[in-house]
Structures are given as C-alpha cells and as structure tokens.
Amino acid sequence: MPRAFAVSDLHGCKSLYDQINAFIEPDDIVYFLGDANDRGPNPWELVKLIRANPQWIYIKGNHEQLLESWIESKCDDDVDAWRLERNGGGYTMTHFLAENYGKEFTDDWLEFFFNLPTSAVYESAKGTIFMSHSGYIDRHPYVKRDYKTRNLLWCREHFNFPWDDQYDYVVHGHTPIP
C-alpha cells in the first residue's frame, strides 16, 4: 500500500525536496501544503519541480497566493510586488520575469496558481485526514469575506474546524510550533 506524507513551508529549499524524494518510494504520495516560492536559495526552481512531480500534490499556501496576485496584476502592481518581495519573493519575481518576459501573463502560471486547491482529504487506514496550509477558526476577526479560503491560507490559529466531526486528523503547516 502506498504511503502518504505531508510537508509544508519548504520556502525555496530544494535540498529538502531532494531529501524527501530520496526517502519516498515510487508509489508514495507527498502532499505539499504550500509555501515553496520564496526565501530559500532555489524558490522558483522548487515551484517548478513540485508542479512537475506526479508524486507531489501541490496545495496553495499564503505565499503562493502572494505570487498569484502579483502575476494576476500582470506583474505591474506595486503593492503586490512589495508584499511578495517583503516576504522573500524577490528572487522568484526576477526569475519568473526572465522566463516569461514578453509572454501573456494570464497564461499557464496564473491558471496553475489560481487553480491550486486550498485543502485535501486523504483516507488512511487509521482514519480520514484533512490537510491545508494553515489552521482555521470560524469568524476570524480580520477576515470579512471568503473566510474559509482565507483562513486555510493565512490563519495562525489552530484546530477550530467547524467540520471536525468529519475528520479524524487535521494536518497543516504555516505556523511554527515549539
């Protein structure tokens, strides 16, 4: 039976991706719970590797949402650029533009980021597992619309899922836990 793993927040560390791939078996599945595209030494390369690897299921994180917003603005919105760069995305912005200069920005990459799921469910022998990038609380005070999706990308609260009775386990990244 294939195994399933969840990993989050690689933030450009291709070496960690390589270590995971060296560990897993050909039938295993890795749920990547978001945040690949900034900070570390190889963020843009990491995004492309995860996207291309059929063993990896890419779940959107808040940093993918930042990149998506910048691409959606045709890489021309100063606020989106500032947010992305402030969060370590300068390298990704430079390399994205180098590879896509002169191409239509609403093409493949925008569609890819826009269509990334914000959660996944895995049926294991030990129960049903819900996975997302971040925690979730109902009626988060800073979220006025689309609170479910926004919470699954940005929330730093934990384990207050209104659908708890549907799942045996909840797995997410985003917030370091001591």
Side-chain angles (χ1 to χ4, degrees):
M1 180 170 169
R3 301 173 300 172
F5 298 91
V7 63
S8 181
D9 297 87
L10 292 180
H11 286 290
C13 293
K14 181 185 168 294
S15 62
L16 293 174
Y17 170 86
D18 292 337
Q19 289 175 39
I20 294 166
N21 281 326
F23 175 77
I24 63 174
E25 301 293 328
D27 290 339
D28 292 340
I29 298 168
V30 177
Y31 287 89
F32 177 67
L33 305 182
D35 286 7
N37 58 290
D38 51 28
R39 297 187 180 165
N42 310 102
W44 185 236
E45 292 83 355
L46 182 60
V47 168
K48 294 187 294 184
L49 287 168
I50 294 171
R51 179 185 183 187
N53 190 331
Q55 282 185 272
W56 287 62
I57 297 171
Y58 206 140
I59 307 295
K60 186 186 292 188
N62 60 315
H63 290 253
E64 281 80 16
Q65 186 182 48
L66 291 170
L67 180 57
E68 174 190 334
S69 294
W70 178 69
I71 295 170
E72 188 175 31
S73 78
K74 301 194 183 317
C75 307
D76 194 36
D77 185 298
D78 290 339
V79 174
D80 287 330
W82 175 81
R83 284 185 184 129
L84 184 58
E85 191 161 16
R86 180 174 164 254
N87 283 282
Y91 177 95
T92 298
M93 293 164 67
T94 300
H95 285 80
F96 178 86
L97 287 172
E99 289 180 16
N100 292 281
Y101 184 76
K103 295 182 182 175
E104 186 63 39
F105 285 111
T106 58
D107 67 352
D108 187 45
W109 281 109
L110 182 57
E111 185 177 332
F112 169 72
F113 286 115
F114 183 78
N115 289 315
L116 280 178
T118 56
S119 63
V121 175
Y122 179 76
E123 296 291 339
S124 77
K126 294 186 177 187
T128 305
I129 303 168
F130 178 88
M131 294 172 280
S132 65
H133 176 67
S134 74
Y136 179 91
I137 63 169
D138 197 13
R139 298 188 189 111
H140 192 280
Y142 303 110
V143 179
K144 302 215 178 352
R145 61 186 176 118
D146 195 16
Y147 67 88
K148 181 177 177 185
T149 298
R150 181 144 172 88
N151 268 315
L152 294 174
L153 299 176
W154 290 92
C155 184
R156 293 204 183 271
E157 303 295 327
H158 303 285
F159 309 114
N160 186 8
F161 288 78
W163 54 86
D164 274 346
D165 58 339
Q166 297 176 37
Y167 306 107
D168 299 300
Y169 303 97
V170 174
V171 176
H172 67 83
H174 186 56
T175 302
I177 298 172

